[in-house]
Amino acid sequence: TIIVTGASRGLGAATARIAARMETNVVLTARSEQGLKTVAQQIEEAGGRAFIVVGDLTQAADCQHIVAEAIRAFSQVDGVVNNAAVLTPIAPIAAADPDAWSANLTVNVLGPFMLTQAALPYLRRSNGRVVNVSTGAAVSVVPSWSAYCVSKAALNHLTRALAEEEPTITTIAVRPGVVDTDMQAIIRRQGANGMPPEVYARFVNYHEEGDLLPPEVPGCALAVLALHAPKEWSGTCLSWDNEEVQSLVRRYACSPGT
């Protein structure tokens, strides 16, 4: 049984659908009930098992409720995929709204921390796995994405800290690449007002030239890692297309269409 956050659309939904095809119980959580219902129906129509929990990851009580509902539904938690995140504010540091910065850090860092904390007693029992969805922007700054860059760098370090403190649990951060999700659409809609023109143009070109990855492609890596990541990888930050990761993906016969 794995919990996938931000599972109502995009990368989270793709990861959940793929994990379900690998005979895994999937607990889907997000703030949007309708989106979760749609993904759960897709999983069940394909013969999988899904359970939805509407929740706000910025609230500790909601994080505890998500885990409690997962246990009620399936009696165990073997993995957590911390995928939910926000990009905004898109603004240079000199002009960024402190409240928007705080909101970003709450979703992108405190959310994964609180959900993982709530799941720890069950992850310890199962020698489970935590997969934190990171980004290349955690190590290579994108101008005007300061809150996002900082929050994802913190998530990488949270990954390392958890690996040190919880040796029976395998914890990994994964860079999923540039994926065709709502986050990219937000960049195209809002980025012109806050990003340097040449950086904004680069992201627009990704879309126009068809260079964005379908969510199912890195979703395979996330699903396989949530189920089968080797213990010796704990504490690392890996790219979805790392050869060792892809070797693991091939071993478990995961592909976007199967």
Side-chain angles (χ1 to χ4, degrees):
T1 298
I2 66 170
I3 299 171
V4 182
T5 72
S8 62
R9 59 191 181 188
L11 185 57
T15 301
R17 287 191 294 262
I18 292 166
R21 292 201 298 264
M22 301 172 73
E23 300 184 352
T24 300
N25 304 319
V26 183
V27 178
L28 312 168
T29 187
R31 291 179 297 177
S32 166
E33 183 175 21
Q34 187 53 54
L36 292 175
K37 286 181 176 179
T38 298
V39 178
Q41 182 177 355
Q42 292 167 344
I43 288 172
E44 289 163 358
E45 288 176 351
R49 297 176 300 276
F51 185 78
I52 69 172
V53 187
V54 177
D56 181 350
L57 295 172
T58 68
Q59 303 299 313
D62 281 21
C63 292
Q64 293 161 5
H65 175 69
I66 291 163
V67 174
E69 287 294 285
I71 295 299
R72 185 175 70 84
F74 298 121
S75 303
Q76 64 192 68
V77 174
D78 303 288
V80 175
V81 179
N82 286 309
N83 165 71
V86 295
L87 174 67
T88 53
I90 301 175
I93 291 170
D97 178 0
D99 289 338
W101 248 73
S102 178
N104 181 294
L105 292 168
T106 300
V107 173
N108 293 358
V109 184
L110 287 181
F113 156 71
M114 291 189 293
L115 183 64
T116 300
Q117 184 184 60
L120 279 178
Y122 308 101
L123 292 168
R124 289 171 184 148
R125 291 180 194 173
S126 62
N127 294 324
R129 295 170 175 84
V130 175
V131 175
N132 293 322
V133 178
S134 186
T135 172
V139 293
S140 299
V141 171
V142 178
S144 298
W145 291 11
S146 54
Y148 184 69
C149 295
V150 168
S151 66
K152 289 297 189 175
L155 186 65
N156 284 359
H157 216 62
L158 177 63
T159 300
R160 300 181 186 103
L162 187 64
E164 282 289 322
E165 294 180 5
E166 298 289 341
T168 65
I169 297 168
T170 301
T171 308
I172 298 172
V174 180
R175 299 185 297 273
V178 186
V179 188
D180 191 6
T181 63
D182 282 358
M183 188 174 289
Q184 287 295 317
I186 289 171
I187 294 169
R188 295 192 298 273
R189 287 196 307 268
Q190 302 181 19
N193 293 327
M195 297 168 63
E198 67 279 6
V199 178
Y200 173 69
R202 185 170 80 240
F203 282 89
V204 171
N205 288 340
Y206 288 148
H207 176 68
E208 292 180 348
E209 296 174 8
D211 291 335
L212 297 175
L213 291 169
E216 291 76 13
V217 173
C220 270
L222 294 176
V224 169
L225 288 168
L227 298 170
H228 304 294
K231 185 70 189 73
E232 58 268 25
W233 293 5
S234 193
T236 61
C237 304
L238 301 169
S239 178
W240 76 274
D241 58 355
N242 174 287
E243 179 51 39
E244 290 181 309
V245 173
Q246 286 304 300
S247 177
L248 196 70
V249 167
R250 290 190 294 270
R251 184 187 313 171
Y252 290 97
C254 179
S255 68
T258 61

